[in-house]
Amino acid sequence: MKWLEHQRIRYTLSHHPIPHQAWENLMHNGYAAVFREMSAVERAHLRELTTLFLRQKTLSGAQGLEVSTEMVLAVAAQACVPILKLGLDYYNSWVEIVIYPGAFRVARDAADEAGVVSRQEQTLSGESWARGPVILSWDDMASELAGSRPGQNVVMHELAHKLDMLNGDANGMPPLHSDMVRQQWTDVFSSAFEYLQRQLEHHFHPDINSYAATSPAEFFAVVSEYFFTDPHRLHQRFAEVYEQLVLFYRQNPLLRFSSSGAPGSE
Ligand SMILES: [Zn+2]
């Protein structure tokens, strides 16, 4: 790392520290399993990364939502979990996070198979654009932090899309590391995706959130949510997908969760 950059990081960490009590509350409040299961070393690293993240990104509320320190911290810390071992550079292509009070409606043009374009409306809890902001719904985040939606995390979902889009369109394959095998990723993800689609076609209860069957991009975003927040479930259902995510994110949340002796209890 360059000397100047190193100095800048040190300056940020010492002059713009995260409020101690707010951070401790977020880490230990008993329901945010994703933080609680981390080791002290990982949490210290996450805190540094979150501090730097907050200097680089802007977080604002939409529709009159007042964004409190607690909300900012909750969003930033969750956003930094996927890049804990990758580094902040992975988020260099965007700066803004916009938080809506609840699910938001979007209208956009969509073309059908015959090429007819029509205006469609959808209700979303999060959205990511290639170069634009990350858009999130606080309602959804709050229920996830309260532990009522195991395996779901709207922040990590949207950021998985951002990582996916680092090498072009969102297609379910982020830029792989040099020690990873592209063909392996494609084979493992395609067969898991097809398996999930078959389950749905035959009206079986899907192993994971059925939204993953929408497209390869959504599949990658949804399995990333499970990877960090309910790794046991993902590993049981799609072990090979789990292993590929270990290689990509350079983390193994399963070890984290088993060491506490309370696997999958969230
Ligand atoms: Zn998505």
Side-chain angles (χ1 to χ4, degrees), residues 3 28 36 81 90 94 108 124 127 141-142 170 236 243:
W3 183 83
H28 301 287
R36 202 182 54 229
V81 170
Y90 274 75
W94 57 276
R108 63 172 60 103
L124 300 174
E127 192 170 52
M141 260 185 280
Q236 269 167 14
E243 296 305 334

Side-chain angles (χ1 to χ4, degrees), residues 18 23 27 35 38 41-51 76-82 84:
I18 291 174
W23 179 259
M27 291 297 115
F35 304 125
M38 287 182 163
V41 173
E42 282 178 316
R43 273 204 293 267
H45 184 192
L46 183 71
R47 186 171 178 166
E48 278 191 10
L49 207 54
T50 305
T51 310
Q78 290 179 86
C80 286
V81 170
L84 195 62

Side-chain angles (χ1 to χ4, degrees), residues 124 126-128 154 157-158 161 211 214-215 217-219 221-222 225:
L124 300 174
E127 192 170 52
S128 280
V154 65
H157 179 104
E158 296 311 323
H161 284 319
Y211 190 64
T214 321
S215 69
E218 296 305 340
F219 188 86
V222 169
E225 295 177 68

Side-chain angles (χ1 to χ4, degrees), residues 131-204:
R131 275 167 222 297
V134 175
I135 303 168
L136 300 164
S137 135
W138 176 251
D139 258 7
D140 291 80
M141 260 185 280
S143 18
E144 288 160 7
L145 282 169
S148 60
R149 298 176 178 182
Q152 293 191 38
N153 188 294
V154 65
V155 180
M156 294 175 195
H157 179 104
E158 296 311 323
L159 291 170
H161 284 319
K162 284 292 193 190
L163 296 172
D164 187 355
M165 288 185 281
L166 283 174
N167 54 352
D169 292 341
N171 61 359
M173 182 163 33
L176 305 182
H177 308 300
S178 55
D179 59 349
M180 296 177 71
V181 181
R182 197 185 162 90
Q183 193 58 49
Q184 223 163 37
W185 178 284
T186 311
D187 291 347
V188 164
F189 272 77
S190 311
S191 66
F193 179 68
E194 284 159 18
Y195 175 79
L196 182 65
Q197 287 196 316
R198 278 199 305 277
Q199 276 193 317
L200 293 172
E201 271 164 31
H202 294 101
H203 307 289
F204 289 142

